[in-house]
């Protein structure tokens, strides 16, 4: 059971190289792991049977940039309902504040998640809900617990025995926060369930209380968290709280890579990803089209692969690192069936709004998740929202990836009949087209049989993106919008 070690939701290895823009500043890439008690060992989600990633929405266009993903577990519908409600509420608040404005840069909303604990008895899911503000990026953290024995979805405060335990815990946390003045304001702390909505455990069983940005501190304080030692926390914990604690302590630790060099090597010591059928088609002579799928793998991906296989069609899958690590089986199937696996970043942030280290972190974390699964390192990246500037292109170049956008967008995330999606696709495609689609969206997958049928009838062959360019190849850092064109942004 490999574990990923995270600080504040960013992998510890990422903090080591990136600092994640918060108040955690590494002194060097070789700094050893600090014995920081608020660190939580997050669990590899692929160990949970029936777990997949649900994408609530992901717009590559529109006046807002929004992407939200959370896990679904087949036998836990109440967990799905609770996570959906929390994400939806966060998004509704965001659209109320930003929805009508045509602001630039576009306001961004992003949800990703980690598994705080997993056993046959209990699951802990930590949501990280971020949005852009004028003052910068703001993150809220909520950890939802699921009792797999009694099939109940719980708030974090349900890990405590009741109201008196919450008041006691708040007192302990408040005296700890008082030591961190003036960055933190302990008087902002209240013993209410909303404020204590993100509880987890460190590997020693200590209770980790996390707050949202600016909830008890100034923005510069970054993530504020307090760890209450196991022996102090135990009398406050309910039966499910004790179970959650035991699960977190039992989670097996796997050493994380210690340096940026090791992280980059882990994704670049693999051969470059290519389709097993590359070279079987000559797009200089045939009418070729590249269907590309963003945001998977997810619950619809297997069905899409069945459809493509039935038609002998191939495609390029721009996968999210966070989803890839959830469904390694699907990633291998994509590779085995002659498609191409490519990089769509770790968690779907607008890269043009990030610092260089954060951009590199988004790209390398995805490579690091994908490469060991398929035994190949992706050579293509599609930046979310097509967000690419000279900085993004330059970092992609250093990481040996060409940047792929698209020239046909059939708007497949609209809940319109699949027929309409197929119509828009077929009428807009020309030889050499790169078509933007989403295997996270059921209607988009419903439209595929008709798209394949009609384009086949028009003489098209379905290839992966690099095949459009044939022997010319694709150059890392250059931007590709269709088979005819590539651009280099001025450096
Ligand atoms: Zn996307």
């Amino acid at each position: 059971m490999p574990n990923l070690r995270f600080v504040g939701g960013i992998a510890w290895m990422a903090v080591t190289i990136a600092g994640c823009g918060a108040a955690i500043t590494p002194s060097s890439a070789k700094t050893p792991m600090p014995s920081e008690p608020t660190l939580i060992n997050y669990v590899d989600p692929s160990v949970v049977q029936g777990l997949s990633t649900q994408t609530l929405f992901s717009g590559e266009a529109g006046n807002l940039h929004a992407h939200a993903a959370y896990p679904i577990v087949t036998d836990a519908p109440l967990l799905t309902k609770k996570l959906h409600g929390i994400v939806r509420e966060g998004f509704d608040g965001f659209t109320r504040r930003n929805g009508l404005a045509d602001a630039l840069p576009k306001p961004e909303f992003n949800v990703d998640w980690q598994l705080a604990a997993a056993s046959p008895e209990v699951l802990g899911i930590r949501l990280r809900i971020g949005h852009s503000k004028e003052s910068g990026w703001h993150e809220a953290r909520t950890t939802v617990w699921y009792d797999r024995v009694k099939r109940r979805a719980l708030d974090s405060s349900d890990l405590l025995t009741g109201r008196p335990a919450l008041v006691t815990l708040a007192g302990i946390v408040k005296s700890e926060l008082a030591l961190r003045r003036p960055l933190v304001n302990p008087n902002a702390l209240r013993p209410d369930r909303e404020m204590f909505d993100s509880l987890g455990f460190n590997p020693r069983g200590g209770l980790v209380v996390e707050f949202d940005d600016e909830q008890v501190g100034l923005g510069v304080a970054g993530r504020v968290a307090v760890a209450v030692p196991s022996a102090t926390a135990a009398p406050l914990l309910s039966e499910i709280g004790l179970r959650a604690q035991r699960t977190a302590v039992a989670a097996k630790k796997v050493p994380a890579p210690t340096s940026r060099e090791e992280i980059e090597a882990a994704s670049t010591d693999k051969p470059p990803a290519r389709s097993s059928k590359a070279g079987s088609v000559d797009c200089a002579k045939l009418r070729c089209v590249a269907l590309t799928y963003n945001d998977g793998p997810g619950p619809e991906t297997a069905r899409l692969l069945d459809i493509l296989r039935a038609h002998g069609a191939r495609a390029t899958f721009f996968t999210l690192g966070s989803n890839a690590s959830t469904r390694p089986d699907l990633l291998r199937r994509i590779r085995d069936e002659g498609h191409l696996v490519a990089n769509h970043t770790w968690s779907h942030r607008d890269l043009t709004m990030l610092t260089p280290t954060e951009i590199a972190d988004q790209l390398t974390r995805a490579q690091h998740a994908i490469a060991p699964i398929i035994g190949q390192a992706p050579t293509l990246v599609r930046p979310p929202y097509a967000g690419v500037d000279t900085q993004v292109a330059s970092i992609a170049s250093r990481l040996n990836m060409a940047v792929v956008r698209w020239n046909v967008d059939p708007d497949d995330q609209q809940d319109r009949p699949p027929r309409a999606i197929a119509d828009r696709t077929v009428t807009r495609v020309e030889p050499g087209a790169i078509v933007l689609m989403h295997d996270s969206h059921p209607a988009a997958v419903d439209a595929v049989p008709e798209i394949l049928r009609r384009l086949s009838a028009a003489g098209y062959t379905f290839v992966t993106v690099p095949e459009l360019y044939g022997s010319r190849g694709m150059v890392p850092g250059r931007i590709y919008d269709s088979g005819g064109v590539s651009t280099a942004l001025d450096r």
Side-chain angles (χ1 to χ4, degrees):
M1 184 188 288
N3 279 49
L4 306 170
R5 190 150 235 211
F6 284 71
V7 168
I10 299 276
W12 160 75
M13 59 188 182
V15 170
T16 306
I17 59 170
C20 76
I24 303 156
T25 314
S27 53
S28 96
K30 298 262 182 205
T31 305
M33 167 77 100
S35 59
E36 163 55 55
T38 68
L39 281 174
I40 295 171
N41 269 346
Y42 290 105
V43 179
D44 177 351
S46 69
V47 303
V48 179
Q49 277 282 325
L51 188 148
S52 198
T53 306
Q54 180 77 55
T55 304
L56 187 55
F57 40 74
S58 181
E60 309 291 344
N63 69 330
L64 299 174
H65 283 167
H67 180 90
Y70 56 88
I72 50 172
V73 182
T74 42
D75 64 352
L78 291 179
L79 175 65
T80 301
K81 193 174 166 211
K82 190 167 187 73
L83 294 171
H84 179 96
I86 293 168
V87 171
R88 192 76 236 180
E89 189 185 317
F91 182 65
D92 289 346
F94 170 76
T95 49
R96 267 197 305 279
R97 293 188 298 275
N98 299 288
L100 299 174
D102 233 346
L104 283 174
K106 292 183 181 181
E108 185 179 0
F109 179 82
N110 184 275
V111 178
D112 73 344
W113 59 277
Q114 298 87 32
L115 266 187
S119 74
E121 296 188 326
V122 67
L123 292 174
I125 286 123
R126 176 180 183 267
L127 295 174
R128 199 164 51 141
I129 303 173
H131 66 92
S132 53
K133 288 176 62 172
E134 271 175 24
S135 54
W137 188 249
H138 180 279
E139 277 182 6
R141 302 157 189 97
T142 301
T143 303
V144 168
W145 290 86
Y146 184 71
D147 180 342
R148 299 178 92 178
V149 178
K150 296 182 181 157
R151 296 176 172 267
R152 295 180 304 163
L154 305 165
D155 293 326
S156 276
S157 51
D158 293 324
L159 300 184
L160 305 173
T161 51
R163 172 83 193 161
L166 178 59
V167 172
T168 304
L169 177 63
I172 296 168
V173 170
K174 190 169 183 173
S175 45
E176 167 68 26
L177 292 180
L179 305 173
R180 304 190 200 171
R181 284 190 172 110
L183 283 181
V184 166
N185 173 18
N187 295 326
L189 196 72
R190 300 178 311 274
D192 66 40
R193 291 169 63 92
E194 202 280 319
M195 206 156 211
F196 286 79
D197 67 351
S198 199
L199 302 183
F201 296 92
N202 67 26
R204 291 174 298 286
L207 180 64
V208 178
V209 183
E210 285 187 289
F211 297 98
D212 302 341
D213 289 353
E214 298 171 38
Q215 200 170 26
V216 292
L218 306 174
V220 290
R223 167 185 179 256
V224 174
V226 170
V228 177
S230 176
T232 313
L236 306 175
L237 296 175
S238 61
E239 187 270 330
I240 183 73
L242 291 167
R243 250 195 282 159
Q245 186 190 37
R246 280 197 300 274
T247 298
V249 171
K252 211 170 88 190
K253 284 169 226 157
V254 163
T258 57
S259 70
R260 182 180 189 141
E261 289 74 21
E262 277 183 69
I263 293 164
E264 292 199 5
S267 52
T268 53
D269 64 358
K270 306 282 188 300
R274 72 197 289 272
S275 162
S276 57
K277 294 183 179 140
S280 58
V281 176
D282 183 354
C283 291
K285 296 185 181 144
L286 295 171
R287 290 159 80 85
C288 289
V289 58
L291 301 181
T292 64
Y293 288 91
N294 284 14
D295 300 344
E300 300 293 326
T301 307
R303 188 162 70 92
L304 171 62
L305 288 168
D306 291 344
I307 296 168
L308 292 171
R309 185 167 57 187
H311 285 77
R314 290 179 295 126
T316 305
F317 288 78
F318 290 93
T319 58
L320 289 169
S322 52
N323 289 355
S325 59
T326 305
R327 295 299 306 270
D329 55 325
L330 285 173
L331 220 61
R332 283 189 284 268
R333 191 178 156 197
I334 293 170
R335 176 203 61 192
D336 292 346
E337 297 186 1
H339 309 290
L340 184 66
V341 178
N343 185 323
H344 194 39
T345 75
W346 174 261
S347 64
H348 214 279
R349 290 291 310 279
D350 177 355
L351 299 181
T352 62
M353 301 308 291
L354 302 182
T355 65
T357 43
E358 288 169 333
I359 297 166
D361 177 48
Q362 281 284 332
L363 301 187
T364 53
R365 277 180 75 192
Q367 293 289 85
H368 190 63
I370 295 166
I373 296 171
I374 60 168
Q376 301 173 336
T379 60
L380 308 179
V381 61
R382 172 170 284 161
Y385 317 112
V388 57
D389 55 17
T390 52
Q391 189 162 266
V392 172
S394 147
I395 293 167
S397 168
R398 206 187 75 220
L399 296 170
N400 283 319
M401 283 184 276
V403 179
V404 179
R405 295 189 297 204
W406 57 84
N407 68 335
V408 173
D409 177 4
D411 206 7
D412 70 349
Q413 300 201 96
Q414 298 299 319
D415 275 317
R416 286 180 228 158
R419 181 76 199 248
I421 296 170
D423 278 344
R424 288 195 295 274
T425 308
V426 172
T427 54
R428 294 173 194 178
V429 162
E430 291 181 354
I434 298 175
V435 184
L436 170 68
M437 309 199 85
H438 297 82
D439 55 326
S440 54
H441 198 67
V445 175
D446 292 341
V448 178
E450 185 175 338
I451 291 170
L452 296 176
R453 208 165 36 241
R454 287 167 65 183
L455 287 177
S456 295
Y460 280 95
T461 301
F462 304 94
V463 299
T464 63
V465 171
E467 290 169 87
L468 292 180
Y469 301 93
S471 57
R472 280 178 292 162
M474 298 178 76
V475 180
R478 283 186 77 88
I479 297 168
Y480 294 82
D481 294 313
S482 74
V485 194
S486 84
T487 335
L489 292 180
D490 290 333
R491 302 274 163 86

